[in-house]
């Protein structure tokens, strides 16, 4: 940082130091909104390294940064403030490098559909567990309620009871006809919120309903992304009326996973963690150990079978070493 700073000061006397928020990232340049409300395109120079992770992009949407700008409009990011959290994913399947999707999130809304397309409970639970590890609070949005059969609606209500009971707030909405959207809108006030979920669940439709002026592309673009023609992810933050931001990352389905120890996986399933305090062994994996309070709770229907299956599913990945590969 110091080197860049001196270089710029020496060569461009009319420079200005400012603080701002990174609101768009394309990989090669960043759009920074300054404290005065100006939007400035910035490049980075120098070496930004994060402790412990190898990343393809050192700076992400949501980062609070310091920039230096001259009168000709050239600007550089010179410093990043410490992050309260961030989410990453692997840059590509084969790569050991990771890509930071966003930083400093207040919450994440996981958009879920029971059908068209189906979101499995395994997917939901893995997402929730990763978010716990990232220390990002999650709320669930069940979308497309205008399109379900009675049976599907019944199943949806069961899921809502389950996740509400565990401690995840749930919304029941139709992004298409607007039902339930006001409650979501209210909950976004004053916060930085990331929207996640499978392609086709209605994220862009929902964001458009909340921010009609942004006119984010729906449907067609998602399928284009699915074919993998462009795997690069450009994240963007959209300001919401009043105060707060929505982050749309076209490529995000779930979070990358942390390098966690086997006995740690259970810490990220809230109710499993609660019961595990009564297990006989404190490194219990809740699979075969005698005196396991978690398995007892599953038998007594105090922990749902679907949650326990998702837990076992994550643990299996762990055994196959997939967690390590996540970096
Ligand atoms: N019936 C119904 N369709 C919806 C709803 N929300 C979105 N869709 C449709 O689902 C498709 C995918 O939506 P999109 O917003 O692009 O999903 P994304 O990939 O998550 O951004 C589009 O054809 C939308 O019109 C909804 O609440 N009800
Ligand atoms: Mg979309
Ligand atoms: Zn146990």
């Amino acid at each position: 940082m110091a080197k860049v700073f001196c270089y710029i000061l020496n060569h461009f006397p009319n420079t200005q130091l400012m603080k701002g928020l990174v609101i768009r990232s394309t990989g090669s340049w960043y759009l920074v909104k300054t404290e005065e409300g100006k939007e400035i395109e910035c490049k980075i120079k120098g070496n930004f390294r994060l402790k412990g992770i190898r990343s393809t992009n050192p700076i992400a949407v949501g980062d609070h940064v310091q920039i230096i700008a001259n009168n000709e409009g050239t600007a550089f990011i010179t410093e990043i403030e410490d992050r309260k959290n961030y989410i990453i994913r692997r840059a590509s399947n084969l790569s050991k490098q990771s890509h930071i999707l966003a930083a400093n999130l207040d919450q994440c809304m996981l958009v879920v559909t029971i059908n068209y397309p189906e979101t499995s409970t395994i997917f939901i639970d893995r997402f929730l567990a990763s978010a716990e590890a990232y220390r990002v609070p999650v709320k669930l949005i069940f979308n497309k309620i205008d399109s379900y059969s009675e049976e599907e609606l019944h199943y949806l209500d069961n899921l809502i009871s389950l996740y509400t009971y565990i401690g995840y707030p749930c919304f029941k909405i139709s992004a298409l006809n607007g039902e339930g959207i006001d409650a979501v809108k209210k909950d976004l006030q004053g916060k930085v919120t990331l929207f996640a979920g499978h392609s086709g669940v209605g994220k862009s439709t929902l964001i458009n309903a909340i921010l009609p002026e942004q006119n984010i592309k729906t449907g067609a673009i998602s399928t284009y992304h699915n074919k993998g023609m462009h795997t690069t992810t450009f994240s963007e933050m959209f300001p919401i009326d009043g105060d707060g931001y929505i982050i749309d990352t076209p490529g995000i389905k779930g979070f990358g996973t942390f390098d966690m120890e086997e006995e740690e996986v259970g810490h990220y399933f809230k109710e499993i963690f609660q019961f595990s305090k009564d297990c006989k062994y404190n490194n219990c994996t809740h699979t075969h150990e005698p005196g396991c309070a978690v398995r007892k709770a599953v038998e007594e229907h105090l922990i749902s079978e679907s949650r326990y299956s998702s837990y076992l599913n994550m643990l299996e990945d762990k055994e196959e070493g997939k967690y390590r590969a996540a970096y």
Side-chain angles (χ1 to χ4, degrees):
M1 177 242 149
K3 228 200 270 172
V4 180
F5 186 81
C6 296
Y7 173 84
I8 294 169
L9 282 187
N10 288 339
H11 289 76
F12 306 98
N14 299 321
T15 51
Q16 236 188 320
L17 263 177
M18 285 174 280
K19 279 187 172 184
L21 173 69
V22 178
I23 58 171
R24 190 185 302 154
S25 141
T26 69
S28 54
W29 58 269
Y30 301 85
L31 190 66
V32 174
K33 188 169 178 177
T34 66
E35 281 172 336
E36 298 84 44
K38 266 202 289 183
E39 293 183 3
I40 300 179
E41 284 183 18
C42 298
K43 303 240 170 208
I44 42 176
K45 258 198 181 171
N47 231 344
F48 288 95
R49 272 179 195 273
L50 288 165
K51 281 184 220 121
I53 65 166
R54 280 194 280 167
S55 163
T56 53
N57 62 327
I59 292 171
V61 155
D63 267 325
H64 295 281
V65 294
Q66 197 170 80
I67 66 170
I68 186 163
N70 64 33
N71 288 340
E72 288 82 54
T74 317
F76 293 99
I77 294 173
T78 57
E79 221 171 296
I80 327 176
E81 281 176 30
D82 286 343
R83 297 175 172 133
K84 74 171 173 189
N85 59 30
Y86 58 86
I87 57 168
I88 57 174
R89 67 163 197 194
R90 240 182 305 168
S92 74
N93 280 340
L94 296 174
S95 167
K96 286 229 163 77
Q97 284 210 316
S98 50
H99 180 83
I100 305 171
L101 289 166
N104 301 317
L105 302 172
D106 291 311
Q107 62 180 1
C108 178
M109 299 263 188
L110 178 63
V111 183
V112 165
T113 47
I114 307 302
N115 216 337
Y116 332 106
E118 184 192 347
T119 308
S120 70
T121 50
I122 287 188
F123 176 81
I124 296 174
D125 295 333
R126 296 179 68 111
F127 187 93
L128 294 174
S130 312
E132 292 293 332
Y134 281 101
R135 296 188 308 273
V136 179
V138 180
K139 291 170 184 168
L140 298 172
I141 297 183
F142 292 87
N143 190 29
K144 306 201 184 182
I145 55 169
D146 60 282
S147 67
Y148 299 135
S149 68
E150 226 161 273
E151 205 181 319
E152 287 167 332
L153 285 171
H154 181 69
Y155 175 63
L156 184 149
D157 285 336
N158 284 338
L159 286 185
I160 289 182
S161 306
L162 170 63
Y163 289 107
T164 308
Y165 165 74
I166 298 168
Y168 294 104
C170 296
F171 297 94
K172 206 172 149 178
I173 71 153
S174 166
L176 205 61
N177 70 21
E179 208 178 331
I181 285 184
D182 281 348
V184 175
K185 263 190 183 170
K186 221 168 135 193
D187 205 79
L188 301 173
Q189 278 301 318
K191 297 174 191 141
V192 174
T193 305
L194 176 92
F195 279 77
H198 283 312
S199 176
V201 295
K203 295 179 296 296
S204 303
T205 308
L206 174 59
I207 295 174
N208 276 330
I210 296 164
L211 308 169
E213 68 282 4
Q214 295 292 350
N215 200 11
I216 298 159
K217 291 193 185 75
T218 59
I221 278 288
S222 314
T223 37
Y224 176 76
H225 273 281
N226 269 348
K227 291 196 180 109
M229 298 177 74
H230 280 278
T231 47
T232 329
T233 311
F234 306 134
S235 300
E236 186 159 7
M237 285 178 100
F238 301 103
I240 52 183
D241 259 357
D243 181 26
Y245 288 90
I246 289 176
I247 301 183
D248 188 26
T249 65
I252 191 177
K253 249 171 47 167
F255 292 159
T257 35
F258 262 74
D259 189 10
M260 44 179 113
E261 294 301 322
E262 203 171 44
E263 61 265 25
E264 236 183 306
V265 179
H267 296 191
Y268 303 122
F269 285 73
K270 289 187 189 186
E271 75 284 38
I272 290 180
F273 182 60
Q274 280 307 314
F275 281 99
S276 71
K277 289 171 182 163
D278 294 325
C279 291
K280 186 171 168 190
Y281 303 110
N282 64 11
N283 60 350
C284 188
T285 62
H286 325 305
T287 52
H288 61 278
E289 296 88 343
C292 172
V294 169
R295 279 190 301 142
K296 183 160 168 275
V298 175
E299 274 159 30
E300 290 170 354
H301 307 291
L302 298 169
I303 290 176
S304 102
E305 281 189 19
S306 73
R307 289 278 292 169
Y308 184 62
S309 312
S310 299
Y311 165 72
L312 293 179
N313 177 281
M314 273 190 91
L315 212 59
E316 269 167 37
D317 277 8
K318 171 74 207 158
E319 280 159 9
E320 287 164 17
K322 283 189 193 162
Y323 282 88
R324 291 187 192 282
Y327 281 116

